[in-house]
């Protein structure tokens, strides 16, 4: 057998798993089209300077994770240049926006991308050296309104919709504001001062960051450092009035659209270009690498790489992590019984047992509740152990029409008793 293998941190994706990747990509394209995003494809390698000026010299990505190589001159007319495999796609999109003068259209540019990114990280489950991102960016010249908080809220609402349509339940949206570049610089100084007395008791990384980039201390995962970090000043107290108002408007729009979120004062993100809104969607099923996606606003990025003023906001989802989450949810669903029968009142227990017997004899796996339980308790037990719940009350018993709740979709249907066994044996996602 050949000893040539896929390089550490890279993987082959084989059928049937590739079908799941294709389904995720098709769903993303469909949802993006509904929000009027068009596809952009930028090159996989770029000038190294693009990433050091945008993502930032001091970040982990630029300082230690990039695949950078010299592209040697092949003729006297050519120069040797330093190239880098893209570690992320936002910098490339903003470079393209500048290069093609897209700002001169006066319109908001709404683009999405799907493709491989490269970072030399320590590989583990959910973390690879070649991974795929599905991302989107909204950029435009100031008259087009790209700075407006409604853009932030719309992007977040789109993400909530996309995750729901992918069938990813149980996500959490964590949100914060890191303010303007001036707010951040002010906060960095406040942190630097606060860290002078406490940093010597922290991990070696934090001791270094306390001097080079105090904001990064907030990302520390070392358990012993957490109580110290909790006592540090919060960035929200360093925001100017305009940034505070912007953030309040984003949250108000999310409330109106009923997109649930949690405020996380420590969410500063690992890339330097962020201003104002930053966010991550996490999922408990992912383990240590629990970020499904991350993003935020980058109002100064275009200018930082030599372009015109062009505020923007966007995100990137880790496609590998979407796949892992869907596989875990699918495995959990397969371990559940077909249905849980919830009798409404103790007097209905005998009828519920008869119904359970009927369905079990038809080959279905059934958990039987107890009529003495409150409906809420029955719902909770059923959600843990079954794909569906059948409610059996006096009315249902008389009419022979039962109420069935499907947990994966949240749908409640009326089903004739004669058709119940067939209904319960169809997959719960349909
Ligand atoms: P990021 O947080 O560095 O942001 O990456 C976004 C997502 O890519 C992460 O939440 C994670 O799901 C996935 N990801 C990152 N590194 C890896 C890895 N080594 N293996 C597997 N998945 C990974 C950005 O890249 C920004 N460009 C997002 C953005 C767009 N902000 C504004 N616009």
């Amino acid at each position: 057998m050949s000893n040539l293998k896929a390089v550490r941190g890279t993987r082959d994706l084989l059928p049937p798993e590739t079908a799941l990747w294709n389904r995720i990509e098709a769903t993303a394209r469909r949802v993006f089209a509904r929000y009027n995003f068009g596809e952009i494809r930028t090159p996989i390698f770029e000038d190294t300077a693009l990433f050091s000026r945008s993502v930032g010299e001091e970040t982990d990505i630029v300082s230690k994770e990039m695949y950078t190589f010299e592209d040697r001159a092949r003729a006297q007319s050519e120069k040797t240049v330093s190239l880098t495999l893209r570690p992320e796609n936002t910098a490339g999109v903003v470079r393209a926006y500048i290069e093609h003068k897209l700002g001169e259209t006066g319109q908001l540019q709404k683009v999405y991308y799907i493709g491989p990114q490269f970072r030399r990280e320590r590989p583990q489950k959910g973390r690879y050296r070649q991974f795929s991102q599905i991302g989107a960016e909204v950029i435009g010249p100031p008259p087009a309104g790209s700075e407006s908080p409604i853009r932030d809220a719309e992007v977040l609402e789109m993400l909530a919709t996309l995750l729901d349509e992918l069938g990813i339940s149980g996500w959490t949206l964590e949100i914060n504001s890191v303010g303007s570049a001036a707010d951040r610089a002010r906060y960095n100084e406040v942190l630097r001062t606060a860290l002078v007395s406490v940093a010597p008791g922290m991990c070696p990384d934090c001791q270094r960051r306390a001097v080079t980039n105090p904001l990064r201390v907030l990302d520390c995962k070392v358990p012993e450092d957490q109580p110290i970090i909790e006592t540090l000043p919060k960035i929200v107290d360093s925001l100017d009035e305009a940034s505070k108002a912007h953030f309040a408007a984003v949250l108000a729009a999310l409330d109106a659209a009923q997109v649930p979120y949690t405020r996380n004062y420590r969410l500063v993100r690992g890339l330097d270009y962020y201003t104002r809104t930053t966010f991550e969607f996490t999922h408990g099923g992912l383990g240590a690498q629990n970020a499904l996606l991350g993003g935020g606003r980058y109002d100064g990025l275009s200018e930082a790489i030599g372009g015109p003023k062009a505020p923007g906001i966007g995100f990137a989802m880790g496609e590998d992590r979407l796949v892992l989450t869907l596989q875990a949810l699918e495995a959990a669903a397969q371990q559940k019984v077909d249905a849980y029968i919830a009798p409404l009142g103790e007097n209905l227990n005998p009828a519920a047992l008869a119904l359970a017997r009927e369905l079990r004899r038809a080959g279905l796996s059934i958990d039987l509740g107890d009529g003495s339980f409150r409906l809420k308790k029955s719902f909770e037990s059923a959600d843990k152990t079954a794909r569906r719940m059948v409610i059996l009350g006096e009315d249902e018993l008389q009419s022979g029409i039962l109420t069935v709740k499907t947990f994966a979709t949240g749908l409640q249907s009326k089903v004739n008793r004669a058709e119940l066994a067939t209904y319960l044996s169809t997959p719960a996602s349909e």
Side-chain angles (χ1 to χ4, degrees):
M1 208 172 103
S2 166
N3 54 7
L4 287 175
K5 298 219 161 61
V7 173
R8 188 168 136 81
T10 72
R11 306 177 296 152
D12 299 308
L13 302 175
L14 307 172
E17 190 185 305
T18 37
L20 181 55
W21 287 72
N22 286 331
R23 184 168 75 73
I24 290 173
E25 291 169 17
T27 306
R29 288 177 196 281
R30 201 175 60 233
V31 171
F32 291 151
R34 291 214 301 268
Y35 288 76
N36 195 22
F37 281 75
E39 184 173 6
I40 184 167
R41 300 187 191 196
T42 64
I44 281 175
F45 54 82
E46 299 262 5
D47 221 313
T48 304
L50 174 65
F51 303 113
S52 42
R53 283 194 223 154
S54 56
V55 176
E57 296 277 10
E58 289 295 329
T59 59
D60 282 354
I61 296 177
V62 173
S63 67
K64 52 187 188 204
E65 294 170 359
M66 295 206 302
Y67 286 93
T68 296
F69 56 99
E70 293 264 287
D71 193 16
R72 267 170 297 138
R74 309 196 74 188
Q76 280 203 325
S77 56
E78 279 183 358
K79 276 195 303 203
T80 295
V81 286
S82 174
L83 302 179
T84 292
L85 297 186
R86 63 184 187 195
E88 61 101 56
N89 219 339
T90 310
V93 168
V94 176
R95 180 206 41 73
Y97 172 94
I98 299 167
E99 191 168 332
H100 301 286
K101 300 188 171 56
L102 298 181
E104 289 177 13
T105 61
Q107 300 291 314
L108 275 187
Q109 301 297 311
K110 297 165 68 171
V111 293
Y112 75 87
Y113 46 83
I114 300 178
Q117 318 293 330
F118 306 85
R119 297 183 194 175
R120 194 189 284 102
E121 294 195 80
R122 198 166 47 77
Q124 62 179 83
K125 186 177 170 211
R127 188 162 73 195
Y128 311 101
R129 291 182 168 178
Q130 174 174 336
F131 58 98
S132 176
Q133 284 186 338
I134 300 180
E137 314 289 349
V138 181
I139 319 169
S146 63
E147 271 170 301
S148 165
I150 194 65
R151 300 278 76 87
D152 310 42
E154 187 185 26
V155 161
L156 290 163
E157 188 279 322
M158 175 170 83
L159 279 166
T161 299
L162 175 54
L163 290 176
D164 288 348
E165 293 203 11
L166 285 169
I168 295 187
S169 51
W171 49 262
T172 304
L173 160 57
E174 297 186 19
I175 188 166
N176 192 23
S177 173
V178 295
S180 64
D183 295 339
R184 260 225 322 271
R186 197 165 43 240
Y187 179 60
N188 243 322
E189 286 322 303
V190 171
L191 264 189
R192 203 186 296 278
T193 312
L195 281 164
V196 170
S197 55
V198 294
M202 299 178 80
C203 71
D205 271 347
C206 281
Q207 296 189 23
R208 187 176 44 79
R209 293 173 186 142
V211 182
T212 56
N213 195 352
L215 214 62
R216 293 266 76 79
V217 169
L218 304 184
D219 288 339
C220 174
K221 300 276 179 333
V222 176
E224 294 76 28
D225 287 356
Q226 303 309 309
I228 304 176
I229 296 172
E230 289 304 320
T231 65
L232 293 170
K234 294 190 168 68
I235 196 161
V236 52
D237 299 318
S238 293
L239 300 189
D240 64 15
E241 288 310 313
S243 293
K244 277 189 193 153
H246 191 277
F247 193 40
V250 175
L251 299 185
L254 290 178
D255 289 338
Q258 296 184 335
V259 176
Y261 58 84
T262 312
R263 287 180 65 172
N264 176 352
Y265 296 108
R266 281 174 56 178
L267 188 73
V268 290
R269 313 254 313 123
L271 302 92
D272 279 353
Y273 50 62
Y274 289 113
T275 53
R276 295 192 166 168
T277 313
T278 53
F279 57 85
E280 280 181 7
F281 281 67
T282 56
H283 197 279
L286 277 168
Q289 303 304 314
N290 70 351
L292 274 177
L293 68 96
R297 191 162 261 295
Y298 43 85
D299 291 346
L301 176 53
S302 170
E303 287 146 296
I305 58 174
K309 189 168 169 54
I313 177 156
F315 65 85
M317 323 175 74
E319 195 176 357
D320 306 71
R321 296 187 190 175
L322 295 177
V323 169
L324 282 173
T325 309
L326 282 171
Q327 286 170 335
L329 288 171
E330 177 64 21
Q334 273 174 4
Q335 281 167 11
K336 292 189 170 178
V337 293
D338 294 315
Y340 179 103
I341 299 178
L344 296 183
E346 279 176 76
N347 56 327
L348 287 159
N349 275 348
L353 179 66
L355 179 62
R357 178 177 162 88
E358 193 178 305
L359 295 171
R360 285 170 177 151
R361 289 200 163 202
L364 293 160
S365 52
I366 302 292
D367 256 348
L368 178 58
D370 185 329
S372 69
F373 292 170
R374 287 171 170 276
L375 190 57
K376 183 162 180 277
K377 180 170 172 191
S378 296
F379 262 113
E380 284 166 4
S381 307
D383 195 13
K384 284 201 191 88
T385 65
R387 283 193 282 274
R388 292 190 168 98
M389 175 162 121
V390 179
I391 298 169
L392 184 68
E394 207 52 73
D395 288 350
E396 283 83 359
L397 190 61
Q398 297 308 325
S399 65
I401 302 197
L402 295 134
T403 306
V404 182
K405 166 122 182 161
T406 301
F407 293 111
T409 56
L411 285 180
Q412 202 149 296
S413 324
K414 300 275 183 206
V415 182
N416 206 310
R417 186 162 178 158
E419 285 148 21
L420 189 59
T422 315
Y423 183 86
L424 294 178
S425 52
T426 57
S429 54
E430 285 170 14

